[in-house]
Amino acid sequence: MYHRLTLIGCAAVAALVFGGAASAMAQQWGDLEMDFVLGDAFKAEKIVPDKDVAFCGKHPLFRENVVVDPATKGVKNVAVYLLATPGKKVAVHPDYEKTAKDEVLLDNKDCRYEPHVLALRTSNTLVLGNSDPIGHNMKAEFFNNPPFNDLIPAGGKVKKTLKAAESAFVPVQCSIHGWMGSYVLIKDDPYVGISDEKGHLVIKNLPVGEHTFIVWQENTGYISKPVKVNGKATTWARGRMKVTIKPGANKIGKVELTPEALKLK
Amino acid sequence: MNRSLLILLAATAGGVALAGCGSPAAEYRRYETFAHKAAQDAGIEKLKASQLSEVDDLLAAFYGTPDEPAIPAVEDADIASVLSLPLLQMAAGPVGSDEQGRPRGLYREHCAHCHGITGDGNGPTAAFLNPYPRDYRPGKFKFKSTPVGGKPTHADLKKVLLEGVAGTAMPSFKLLTDIEVEALTQYVIYLSLRGETERELIRMQAELDLDSEPNARLVNIVTENATDEERQLQQEQMAAVKEKIATVVNKWTGAMDASVEIPPRPEMTPEELVESRKLGRTLFYGSIANCVKCHGDSALGDGQLTDYDDWTKEFIGEGKDPEVVAQYVALGLPEPRNIRPRNLRMGIYRGGMRPIDIYWRIRNGIEGTPMPAATMKPDGDPNAKGLTPDDIWHIVNYIESLPYESISNPNDAAERALERMRM
């Protein structure tokens, strides 16, 4: 009984403290949503493995520099992330605390890296895994973090803490199997969205107000050639898109990428 | 005065005149390849000429010139623990000696013809060498006792100068005096710091938003009648530049004692050694050490022939786009060559032939190359995948036996090695 009372007491104090803080700040949050599609027809290039053919040859492999869903024309793995202003800390929604210390897996699976584009926070741990029965290696060169190049044994894993934020996506590559690679972004804040198979992208719970986002795609880097946003020609100089986030949903709509914007021609 | 004396006098006068104004002072070469890459990465066509000349000016302010080096004045780094100005002066400048007869211009005497005045690995002889001379500017060194991402220790770097690099054009400089080798070691660090700083400054330039502020600079020029705010801003900008330099310098000051410790090589009887080599062979072909994938089925270094080292790959990626390759070659990148895994049957090891050298290569990998670091089995987890220090010693033992193993009949190699030891 005594314990329960103490607990209730504590909870009440906590509610007072946090509730008070929240109402004082009155921070409001909004979600950013976008859909990326490619206007033109696209066919992914097939990869014929030249190493570990017995194992890798069993899996259909395609170049993943541009991934388009044939049905919806959605472009996968386009990333949009909040541009960090030096010296300025961005408000982070409490929901993100749950995942702040998570391990984020970059796996070697069926002779490709999974996921192909990933983002993590400086508070997360990157786990380099290998679910394949063959050995792989993972090599990355960062701007602000020490590089790594580790051999990941079959069934093994290696953990990496990357303490410094990077301003751009950094490639991770396998030196043994040249086609294998991923892109990783390390940020202090959690505000990154990566488009799914259908080209849909969402960044949840951004602090309201005007923000600059970077729009990035592996094949072209910053998307800086004209694109059509809901049919209207738009250019994001150096991939920078300014959006004023309002409370609730902020739907940018359909972004039609041209082959030129993706450097396909 | 006879005629020959007159000719001699005229010749001397001519010589003095030539030395005085004939040859221009040596200059550092700009990092054009990186400037292009940084612009591409930032989504702009190229950096403006004024941006690049600001980088030149800042570099000159912090690092001086090839004839008169300077130690960058930054508060947050203990640069005195890595560089001493008198030693840098001994290595810098034209070849000669000072009034006391101490040497001057050691770098130009011994190094610059291959590594270039700038340390960009692009001296006059570079194109004819295979492998190319090291470009110090990215700040990466292969043969060291520290992990990938760490700088070499002072001893690591000095060892390369003293021993040379077997199998390459890099000779041994054991005939120089201790102080001369020390001066050159420090000068290499100095050029590397300068190069890494150049990269940082170029990246800072590429990140400036010239669309909204066309005249933005890294550090504004303040005139006499500038306001306090303008002065304040300029000081903040300068502090940001100094912070970048301090970060570059601190990588060196922190790494000086970061050697990866290696348990001593186990003592073995000849029989145990044969057994150890067999274990090493199994590991060589297994999926935990995975050596075979690149060094090849016969360890001839023919398993992976299409990759590039970082000095090349940074610019041309997989090297599949000839236009991109041509672009960077025009900007000074040496004609790309694929990196070859070591042929382990030659008995020539670039990073040194001591067992500990080979251990370090396996344990830490080789920075700037596809050679990865081994994954070590963590203590207390018998199911985790990885190598133990003993495993690595087994691989070292196997590798040391490879030059003596007959490719056509590898099975009797262990026996023959045993015989040799008994002889």
Side-chain angles (χ1 to χ4, degrees):
Chain A
M1 188 62 200
Y2 171 78
H3 283 289
R4 183 177 289 175
L5 269 179
T6 323
L7 268 177
I8 293 169
C10 284
V13 170
L16 267 176
V17 169
F18 288 111
S23 62
M25 280 163 64
Q27 179 67 59
Q28 288 181 297
W29 312 93
D31 300 347
L32 177 77
E33 283 184 61
M34 300 171 82
D35 291 277
F36 290 93
V37 293
L38 179 67
D40 286 40
F42 177 79
K43 200 163 180 271
E45 203 179 307
K46 208 169 167 8
I47 288 166
V48 182
D50 54 353
K51 288 270 155 53
D52 289 299
V53 179
F55 176 72
C56 297
K58 288 192 293 196
H59 306 282
L61 296 168
F62 295 94
R63 265 191 85 192
E64 292 177 69
N65 56 334
V66 178
V67 182
V68 182
D69 176 36
T72 59
K73 293 192 170 177
V75 184
K76 195 184 174 186
N77 289 335
V78 182
V80 174
Y81 57 95
L82 188 68
L83 177 66
T85 324
K88 240 176 126 184
K89 239 185 155 175
V90 59
V92 173
H93 191 274
D95 271 8
Y96 283 109
E97 264 167 49
K98 283 177 263 174
T99 49
K101 304 266 180 210
D102 278 7
E103 293 189 342
V104 177
L105 177 69
L106 176 55
D107 199 14
N108 282 275
K109 200 169 186 322
D110 302 339
C111 293
R112 53 181 293 282
Y113 288 173
E114 175 59 39
H116 184 68
V117 173
L118 79 158
L120 62 149
R121 277 173 272 173
T122 44
S123 57
N124 291 133
T125 302
L126 178 65
V127 179
L128 308 174
N130 184 0
S131 307
D132 280 352
I134 55 171
H136 289 289
N137 82 314
M138 297 181 124
K139 181 176 191 309
E141 295 291 317
F142 296 95
F143 293 108
N144 303 327
N145 286 289
F148 60 74
N149 180 9
D150 288 84
L151 196 117
I152 320 294
K157 63 180 175 192
V158 176
K159 289 184 185 180
K160 299 279 168 196
T161 41
L162 302 157
K163 288 182 193 141
E166 301 282 342
S167 59
F169 274 89
V170 168
V172 184
Q173 280 176 306
C174 180
S175 315
I176 304 167
H177 311 94
W179 67 87
M180 293 175 67
S182 271
Y183 283 80
V184 56
L185 178 71
I186 294 137
K187 273 174 77 68
D188 284 324
D189 64 71
Y191 295 119
V192 189
I194 296 165
S195 65
D196 63 14
E197 283 82 0
K198 290 182 176 150
H200 185 65
L201 176 150
V202 56
I203 309 177
K204 282 217 171 288
N205 289 321
L206 284 151
V208 295
E210 195 190 47
H211 298 293
T212 303
F213 295 89
I214 299 271
V215 191
W216 176 92
Q217 199 276 341
E218 165 183 350
N219 203 55
T220 185
Y222 301 144
I223 296 181
S224 48
K225 290 275 161 28
V227 295
K228 272 186 193 161
V229 181
N230 293 324
K232 198 176 145 217
T234 306
T235 306
W236 298 312
R238 302 158 77 222
R240 285 164 197 221
M241 169 180 79
K242 275 205 171 116
V243 181
T244 305
I245 298 291
K246 300 191 181 93
N250 294 261
K251 293 193 176 166
I252 301 286
K254 192 169 90 170
V255 178
E256 196 177 316
L257 301 168
T258 56
E260 198 199 6
L262 290 183
K263 280 199 189 148
L264 281 171
K265 277 176 188 166
Chain B
M1 200 181 276
N2 66 31
R3 209 173 138 209
S4 59
L5 191 64
L6 269 177
I7 293 171
L8 191 69
L9 268 177
T12 317
V16 169
L18 269 180
C21 52
S23 53
E27 279 179 20
Y28 286 125
R29 193 160 20 196
R30 208 181 253 171
Y31 209 155
E32 299 284 1
T33 45
F34 191 76
H36 185 71
K37 163 123 175 57
Q40 297 282 303
D41 285 352
I44 47 181
E45 197 167 331
K46 60 178 186 181
L47 294 178
K48 285 184 181 173
S50 59
Q51 289 184 291
L52 290 172
S53 63
E54 192 194 4
V55 171
D56 296 343
D57 293 346
L58 284 168
L59 283 171
F62 283 103
Y63 289 92
T65 65
D67 287 350
E68 282 178 50
I71 291 183
V74 285
E75 290 83 23
D76 301 329
D78 180 18
I79 199 160
S81 67
V82 248
L83 299 181
S84 106
L85 192 58
L87 286 179
L88 291 186
Q89 285 164 339
M90 192 187 230
V95 183
S97 57
D98 65 8
E99 291 86 346
Q100 279 83 34
R102 286 174 303 207
R104 280 279 185 267
L106 287 169
Y107 182 80
R108 263 177 247 179
E109 183 175 0
H110 299 295
C111 320
H113 37 89
C114 296
H115 291 283
I117 294 278
T118 317
D120 55 2
N122 221 341
T125 62
F128 309 104
L129 302 180
N130 190 356
Y132 291 125
R134 179 61 49 244
D135 173 359
Y136 310 137
R137 295 172 301 175
K140 291 180 189 180
F141 296 86
K142 283 185 180 177
F143 304 119
K144 58 186 186 184
S145 57
T146 53
V148 164
K151 297 296 175 192
T153 66
H154 202 76
D156 289 336
L157 211 52
K158 217 161 168 171
K159 179 176 172 289
V160 173
L161 269 80
L162 287 173
E163 305 293 332
V165 179
T168 78
M170 175 73 183
S172 154
F173 289 96
K174 269 187 185 149
L175 292 179
L176 301 188
T177 64
D178 266 0
I179 195 85
E180 288 170 353
V181 173
E182 178 59 29
L184 286 172
T185 307
Q186 289 199 13
Y187 199 71
V188 169
I189 297 174
Y190 159 82
L191 287 175
S192 180
L193 285 173
R194 187 188 171 280
E196 267 198 274
T197 304
E198 188 169 10
R199 291 166 68 95
E200 292 292 344
L201 296 178
I202 287 173
R203 280 192 63 219
M204 284 171 87
Q205 287 284 15
E207 279 168 20
L208 286 181
D209 187 1
L210 295 193
D211 294 330
S212 30
E213 269 186 87
N215 296 319
R217 290 171 59 90
L218 296 184
V219 181
N220 289 346
I221 296 168
V222 170
T223 53
E224 270 177 37
N225 38 18
T227 63
D228 283 352
E229 274 163 29
E230 285 168 338
R231 284 172 207 280
Q232 171 84 20
L233 174 65
Q234 193 234 23
Q235 278 174 10
E236 281 167 16
Q237 290 171 322
M238 189 50 107
V241 167
K242 284 187 175 178
E243 200 187 309
K244 281 276 182 220
I245 298 176
T247 314
V248 171
V249 172
N250 281 332
K251 285 194 240 171
W252 281 95
T253 54
M256 285 298 164
D257 49 4
S259 288
V260 169
E261 295 237 7
I262 291 186
R265 189 186 203 181
E267 302 252 349
M268 289 181 186
T269 64
E271 285 77 11
E272 283 167 344
L273 186 57
V274 168
E275 205 43 47
S276 162
R277 284 174 179 163
K278 281 186 187 157
L279 289 170
R281 187 177 195 279
T282 312
L283 288 164
F284 184 94
Y285 288 99
S287 72
I288 292 177
N290 224 20
C291 318
V292 61
K293 288 290 157 54
C294 295
H295 291 281
D297 292 339
S298 312
L300 287 164
D302 55 357
Q304 170 60 277
L305 301 172
T306 55
D307 214 344
Y308 294 97
D309 67 18
D310 287 1
W311 290 267
T312 313
K313 209 170 181 172
E314 168 168 36
F315 301 114
I316 67 161
E318 306 288 295
K320 283 183 180 140
D321 187 342
E323 246 175 69
V324 171
V325 174
Q327 221 169 28
Y328 281 106
V329 168
L331 291 171
L333 183 76
E335 193 66 48
R337 294 185 189 130
N338 289 114
I339 186 166
R340 299 289 299 258
R342 190 61 43 244
N343 176 348
L344 297 171
R345 292 186 182 270
M346 301 277 280
I348 297 168
Y349 310 104
R350 291 191 181 162
M353 63 183 296
R354 297 172 305 172
I356 195 175
D357 294 322
I358 302 173
Y359 189 110
W360 265 319
R361 301 297 93 77
I362 300 169
R363 172 71 185 82
N364 292 343
I366 302 178
E367 179 137 15
T369 79
M371 173 80 181
T375 292
M376 301 303 281
K377 193 184 271 227
D379 287 334
D381 185 357
N383 296 323
K385 300 280 175 152
L387 299 176
T388 64
D390 277 353
D391 288 339
I392 297 190
W393 281 122
H394 295 318
I395 300 173
V396 171
N397 288 336
Y398 174 60
I399 285 173
E400 286 198 317
S401 77
L402 275 169
Y404 305 99
E405 187 193 87
S406 156
I407 300 180
S408 55
N409 190 9
N411 292 330
D412 73 355
E415 295 308 316
R416 285 190 294 110
L418 196 56
E419 268 167 40
R420 270 202 308 280
M421 270 184 294
R422 283 183 179 132
M423 273 191 325

